[in-house]
Amino acid sequence: MSAASEGEKVTDELAPASQVTSLRDVARDAGVSVSTASRVLSGSSHPVSQGTRDKVHDVADRLGFEPNRLARALATARSQTIGVIVHDVSDSYFAEIVRGLEDGAGLQDYALFVASSDRDPDKELALLRAFTSHRVDAIVLVASGLDLDDYRAKVEALLARYEALGGVVVLMSEHSYEAPRVFYDNRGTTASMVKYLIDLGHRRIGYLTGPPELSVTTARSAGYHDALARAGIEADPDLVAGGRFSIEGGAAAAASLMSGPRPTALVAGNDLMAIGALRRLLDLGYQVPGDVSVAGFDDIEFAAYASVPLTTVRIPLTEFGRRGADLVFRLLRGEVQSVVPSVECELVVRASTGPPPRDRT
């Protein structure tokens, strides 16, 4: 087959959903041949450098080009698949939600494609492109959105075009994109945990915050400050330490706070951080809760089996996932979703929290 006939074939296969932009327009602006642009946008395994792939995708995003095969699939048939993006599928929080999504999807004879973004904006964008290219019927964003301007603009463009072609998007975390969602109150529930510690008598309450670029971090941090303000307690920036949503991140953040004027309690942005903080405090010789109380958020399976059983906020994670799946299928059936599904969180008190030490009250 000649180069010209090859180019004509792939051009026809990837004809745009509208006549505004063609594959030739994308190839021209990216400075590549039509066949190269076709290979990149069709997901072909033909070797193309990563730099060229990125350039072609960026131009396609900017021009609003979408391969016609996605439009045909969404308009005429269902693939019986759902794309799910989490931050880390090995994290118990995401694993339990995915299990609930699987339960709901299985009842409808659907399969899940689950992928970890590792909180990497470029990887997440690549996953979104892959899901649309593979014609999934719905995309579920369990991962929190990233507070990055360039990322937000590209995600919104990709998802808006995907929905315009008939795809369904469901959110299960804080996100800048506007779409139907299942939710729980990150901000209000964090405030309830801090209020519980204030009611125990704590006034110097430290907060272990997650990655600053995550929308969920912003929401939970706001809840911490809300509770302090309502109690008339001035927020002390020296009592806030940042870290990753991980055991190692919590351990490092706790050690940092304990090196200065000590708090009597620590609230962590999630259970993994709280478990890491608890372990580091014990290693440093502190008693929990005798010297320092520790609380988390999520109630993952391991929270009850930590070195000191962890006080936390319980999210019914598996049920949360099932409700996410239910919302997906309601939308695929064309049902108008007038009420946003939510799940109720519960404060679970265990041995890791108690009143502050008397000599520091």
Side-chain angles (χ1 to χ4, degrees):
M1 179 183 293
S2 69
S5 61
E6 179 185 3
E8 290 170 359
K9 179 180 179 181
V10 293
T11 302
D12 179 68
E13 178 188 356
L14 288 173
S18 73
Q19 296 303 312
V20 176
T21 302
S22 72
L23 184 63
R24 292 187 184 279
D25 295 327
V26 175
R28 182 195 64 237
D29 284 18
V32 300
S33 68
V34 172
S35 58
T36 296
S38 173
R39 287 164 182 154
V40 170
L41 295 174
S42 67
S44 168
S45 60
H46 191 280
V48 178
S49 73
Q50 189 59 49
T52 298
R53 288 183 181 276
D54 291 343
K55 181 182 290 187
V56 171
H57 280 304
D58 286 344
V59 170
D61 289 346
R62 175 169 57 80
L63 296 180
F65 176 83
E66 199 65 57
N68 197 41
R69 62 195 177 93
L70 172 62
R72 284 200 307 271
L74 290 173
T76 62
R78 294 296 184 186
S79 66
Q80 300 294 113
T81 58
I82 300 170
V84 181
I85 296 180
V86 301
H87 283 152
D88 181 358
V89 74
S90 68
D91 183 327
S92 296
Y93 171 84
F94 293 111
E96 291 184 47
I97 293 175
V98 167
R99 179 54 190 265
L101 284 165
E102 281 184 330
D103 289 347
L107 294 174
Q108 303 292 331
D109 197 26
Y110 263 66
L112 300 186
F113 293 150
V114 183
S116 301
S117 71
D118 299 322
R119 304 188 181 98
D120 181 331
D122 292 331
K123 185 174 182 180
E124 185 165 316
L125 290 167
L127 290 172
L128 288 174
R129 293 187 183 108
F131 284 155
T132 57
S133 177
H134 284 83
R135 308 187 300 276
V136 297
D137 296 340
I139 294 175
V140 180
L141 299 178
V142 182
S144 169
L146 302 171
D147 288 328
L148 304 170
D149 291 339
D150 186 56
Y151 157 88
R152 280 198 300 267
K154 289 182 178 180
V155 164
E156 289 170 9
L158 279 168
L159 292 179
R161 288 204 307 277
Y162 172 74
E163 287 193 285
L165 291 168
V168 163
V169 176
V170 166
L171 306 179
M172 298 190 68
S173 188
E174 306 287 343
H175 210 286
S176 61
Y177 188 71
E178 294 292 331
R181 67 189 185 111
V182 185
F183 81 103
Y184 53 86
D185 187 358
N186 279 292
R187 183 169 182 166
T189 310
T190 302
S192 296
M193 174 61 80
V194 177
K195 182 181 183 300
Y196 160 73
L197 293 169
I198 292 171
D199 290 344
L200 285 178
H202 294 277
R203 293 297 178 271
R204 291 188 56 78
I205 301 172
Y207 186 68
L208 310 182
T209 182
E213 69 273 16
L214 294 184
S215 299
V216 69
T217 296
T218 302
R220 293 183 183 181
S221 295
Y224 164 75
H225 287 94
D226 288 347
L228 295 181
R230 289 172 189 152
I233 300 173
E234 184 176 354
D236 183 350
D238 291 335
L239 291 179
V240 177
R244 311 306 293 175
F245 276 148
S246 65
I247 290 175
E248 296 79 8
S256 174
L257 286 187
M258 300 307 288
S259 66
R262 283 192 286 143
T264 62
L266 294 177
V267 176
N270 76 349
D271 281 348
L272 289 179
M273 292 189 80
I275 290 170
L278 196 156
R279 183 68 263 168
R280 179 58 60 88
L281 291 172
L282 295 176
D283 289 344
L284 291 173
Y286 294 105
Q287 294 183 353
V288 178
D291 296 317
V292 188
S293 290
V294 178
F297 196 114
D298 293 336
D299 197 29
I300 61 174
E301 182 179 3
F302 305 117
Y305 302 99
S307 303
V308 180
L310 184 66
T311 292
T312 186
V313 171
R314 173 177 293 159
I315 305 167
L317 295 172
T318 304
E319 176 60 23
F320 186 50
R322 292 192 189 104
R323 293 196 186 187
D326 180 67
L327 177 56
V328 166
F329 293 114
R330 286 178 181 274
L331 295 169
L332 287 173
R333 291 193 296 268
E335 297 179 16
V336 177
Q337 195 66 32
S338 58
V339 178
V340 178
S342 63
V343 294
E344 294 298 323
C345 300
E346 175 188 0
L347 181 65
V348 178
V349 177
R350 298 194 180 103
S352 68
T353 54
R358 289 186 179 181
D359 62 344
R360 288 189 286 127
T361 304

